[in-house]
Amino acid sequence: MKITIILPTYNEAENLPKLVSALFSLPLDLDVLVVDDNSPDGTGQIAEDLSKEHQGRVHVLHRAGKLGLRSAYLEGFEKAFETGAGAVVQMDADFSHDPAVLTEMARRIESCDVVIGSRYVKGGSLARRWPLWRKALSAFGNNYARTILNFPLHDVTTGFRMWKREALRGMPLDRIRSSGYIFLVEMAYVAYLTGYRITEVPIHFSDRRWGKSKMSLKIQMEAAVRVWDVKWHYRDLRRKKQ
């Protein structure tokens, strides 16, 4: 099965070549789609250079600016469909997600619709360097969303996911409205309400080694408020699920 890895990027010049090399070292049939939001550090040009180095295996979508996670992935999904992906992966470009886990995810996707890389199942963990307050905030945000939306996944805010092509095709992607961090929660929630078979595999979430984190308290607070809008927006699907 051909797997397309979608990497939304903004200022990931230090990480991208290393990550692409790590991905192509895996025993998987995969290609990489970089969706770059006009990074001022030259990430877009690095992606172009990688596409020439790895002809047919690295593709690049250049965008005019920071247009948000939602549009980056939705555009990426369409491109992945066009290039014949049998499965599509969402992951960060900063090495917070271990590429080696993709081998297990690829094995699991054969018997389900979505594989979630989970920090909160047995065997999962967070960066050891994180201070206690940051770990507590991460756990609170995840449990808050799970409680409000009342669904059984352990990690609803993770950005490491593998989707079977047919599952993404069957998702009502035109209804997805969230643009920021909450986009990840909304996608997981819709997959659950749609009745897809979802499996969680443990991951270790690492702190980025190079570059600057995009996460902020403002983004997390916005996500906390938007969870209620997500619940209301899909009340029709929730009733069908019940």
Side-chain angles (χ1 to χ4, degrees):
M1 179 189 298
K2 179 184 174 183
I3 301 169
T4 295
I5 315 291
I6 300 178
L7 300 175
T9 58
Y10 186 78
N11 287 350
E12 296 292 354
E14 293 176 278
N15 288 305
L16 188 59
K18 300 179 182 72
L19 181 55
V20 168
S21 177
L23 289 169
F24 287 159
S25 72
L26 298 173
L28 298 171
D29 178 13
L30 59 82
D31 62 8
V32 173
L33 172 60
V34 179
V35 185
D36 185 67
D37 279 0
N38 197 25
S39 299
D41 72 344
T43 300
Q45 183 57 54
I46 290 171
E48 285 292 344
D49 293 342
L50 288 168
S51 73
K52 294 173 184 175
E53 181 181 347
H54 303 280
Q55 287 283 345
R57 298 193 71 189
V58 175
H59 311 278
V60 189
L61 284 178
H62 295 282
R63 308 200 313 157
K66 295 183 75 173
L67 303 177
L69 203 59
R70 170 186 171 274
S71 61
Y73 273 126
L74 294 186
E75 289 180 37
F77 293 157
E78 288 302 319
K79 181 67 174 178
F81 297 151
E82 290 174 10
T83 55
V88 179
V89 170
Q90 296 172 272
M91 70 181 295
D92 294 344
D94 61 3
F95 277 99
S96 56
H97 300 142
D98 182 0
V101 178
L102 287 167
T103 303
E104 176 63 13
M105 295 174 85
R107 187 182 72 82
R108 297 284 192 98
I109 200 69
E110 297 290 344
S111 58
C112 66
D113 300 304
V114 190
V115 181
I116 301 288
S118 177
R119 301 159 291 182
Y120 299 113
V121 293
K122 184 178 180 180
S125 59
L126 291 166
R128 295 178 182 86
R129 292 193 302 169
W130 277 15
L132 187 60
W133 69 265
R134 190 175 177 187
K135 291 181 179 179
L137 184 62
S138 175
F140 172 79
N142 183 69
N143 288 327
Y144 175 85
R146 288 182 65 217
T147 301
I148 298 304
L149 299 175
N150 189 31
F151 70 126
L153 292 180
H154 294 86
D155 195 341
V156 301
T157 57
T158 179
F160 199 11
R161 300 167 179 179
M162 181 178 289
W163 300 79
K164 194 169 282 182
R165 176 192 177 95
E166 294 79 9
L168 269 181
R169 280 291 199 187
M171 288 275 285
L173 295 177
D174 58 323
R175 292 188 62 177
I176 304 292
R177 303 191 301 176
S178 303
S179 294
Y181 183 60
I182 192 65
F183 167 80
L184 298 170
V185 177
E186 186 172 354
M187 284 285 291
Y189 188 50
V190 174
Y192 165 70
L193 293 179
T194 306
Y196 286 145
R197 299 164 297 169
I198 305 173
T199 297
E200 293 184 86
V201 298
I203 63 168
H204 173 70
F205 185 84
S206 301
D207 209 358
R208 65 163 54 236
R209 285 176 274 178
W210 304 279
K212 185 178 178 181
S213 174
K214 315 300 188 300
M215 183 54 66
S216 67
L217 181 60
K218 179 182 177 182
I219 291 173
Q220 291 174 320
M221 292 300 294
E222 179 187 11
V225 173
R226 285 278 295 122
V227 165
W228 293 95
D229 182 58
V230 169
K231 183 173 184 177
W232 174 256
H233 185 54
Y234 295 104
R235 61 195 181 280
D236 58 323
L237 295 182
R238 192 169 65 249
R239 285 194 293 267
K240 292 179 182 178
K241 183 73 176 178
Q242 294 169 347

